[in-house]
Amino acid sequence: MSLFTTTYLWSQFSEGRIVMQQAFVLMANYNRQLNRQCYACAAQLSQHDVKQERGAYFGSIFATLNHILVGDILWLQRFARHPSAFRALQPVLSLPVPTGLQQILYSNLGELQQARELMDELIIDFIGQIRQSNLQHHLLYHNSKGLPYKKNFASLLLHFFNHQTHHRGQISTLLSQFGIDVGVTDLLSLIVNED
């Protein structure tokens, strides 16, 4: 996407022509739906197959699903420090901070799936608490290497959802190598048809 296009989109958001909060509600629901599809497909495999090294960036289906959860925890812990102190995010502050992007949080797919389902509900609750005015804030945070950043909160939310989508695409490919079709993955499937 060019800088011109990005600048144009932001102007449309800021002028109220597109309500970003509504877009994030859509993305939170899409996230939950696609996670359900990916986990249902992964559950068709043996624990050995789901953890088998497949040459992907994080190696296996399991490690990639795990990485998405690690990333979500790290970002949600950062988002919990937004001045609005979103109530839905308070539980993530009690979770241990992952020590690395490849840290394995759970030993099997069932445990990982339970944690994923809870996280997806938390994300939906969190997004439901965001107001348009919250999105213009610049969030101060440190990345996993300890480097400080100050970035637009709405842009960070876009990154949060894009990160999940990116890695689910990898999972879809890994599952297809086992002959398993994840099904419809287009965001379009969740967009309501207007009469």
Side-chain angles (χ1 to χ4, degrees):
M1 183 178 292
S2 71
L3 179 58
F4 172 78
T5 306
T6 304
T7 303
Y8 174 76
L9 283 174
W10 282 117
S11 72
Q12 299 303 294
F13 283 134
S14 65
E15 293 175 21
R17 293 190 182 100
I18 302 172
V19 180
M20 286 186 67
Q21 200 278 337
Q22 292 173 353
F24 290 132
V25 168
L26 176 64
M27 290 305 298
N29 284 294
Y30 173 75
N31 171 63
R32 178 178 58 188
Q33 178 61 36
L34 268 289
N35 283 333
R36 286 175 176 169
Q37 288 175 222
C38 286
Y39 276 88
C41 289
Q44 297 174 37
L45 299 171
S46 68
Q47 285 292 321
H48 174 267
D49 286 346
V50 87
K51 290 185 174 183
Q52 181 182 9
E53 170 61 46
R54 303 293 292 180
Y57 187 80
F58 289 97
S60 67
I61 293 167
F62 183 83
T64 306
L65 288 168
N66 178 82
H67 169 72
I68 297 170
L69 185 60
V70 167
D72 286 358
I73 291 169
L74 288 170
W75 278 109
L76 292 171
Q77 287 176 336
R78 294 168 186 154
F79 297 160
R81 291 174 173 79
H82 186 284
S84 296
F86 302 105
R87 281 181 291 107
L89 293 182
Q90 294 314 299
V92 298
L93 292 173
S94 64
L95 296 175
V97 177
T99 58
L101 298 176
Q102 296 185 8
Q103 178 187 349
I104 300 297
L105 302 175
Y106 298 94
S107 63
N108 64 63
L109 186 64
E111 292 173 346
L112 187 62
Q113 183 173 2
Q114 284 182 322
R116 176 76 267 164
E117 289 170 1
L118 291 172
M119 190 63 63
D120 288 345
E121 293 308 316
L122 184 144
I123 291 167
I124 287 171
D125 291 346
F126 158 56
I127 294 300
Q129 292 176 3
I130 293 174
R131 298 295 166 255
Q132 198 74 16
S133 59
N134 301 137
L135 298 172
Q136 297 309 313
H137 179 75
H138 286 86
L139 188 70
L140 295 167
Y141 70 94
H142 290 81
N143 72 3
S144 57
K145 295 179 182 177
L147 298 174
Y149 290 90
K150 180 180 180 181
K151 297 191 178 192
N152 174 268
F153 184 58
S155 297
L156 293 173
L157 285 169
L158 287 171
H159 166 74
F160 174 73
F161 286 116
N162 187 65
H163 176 261
Q164 298 162 344
T165 302
H166 165 70
H167 288 297
R168 278 193 304 263
Q170 294 172 336
I171 291 163
S172 178
T173 298
L174 295 171
L175 287 164
S176 72
Q177 292 171 0
F178 284 102
I180 298 173
D181 181 5
V182 175
V184 176
T185 60
D186 290 337
L187 177 63
L188 183 63
S189 67
L190 292 182
I191 298 173
V192 176
N193 191 39
E194 302 291 338
D195 293 330

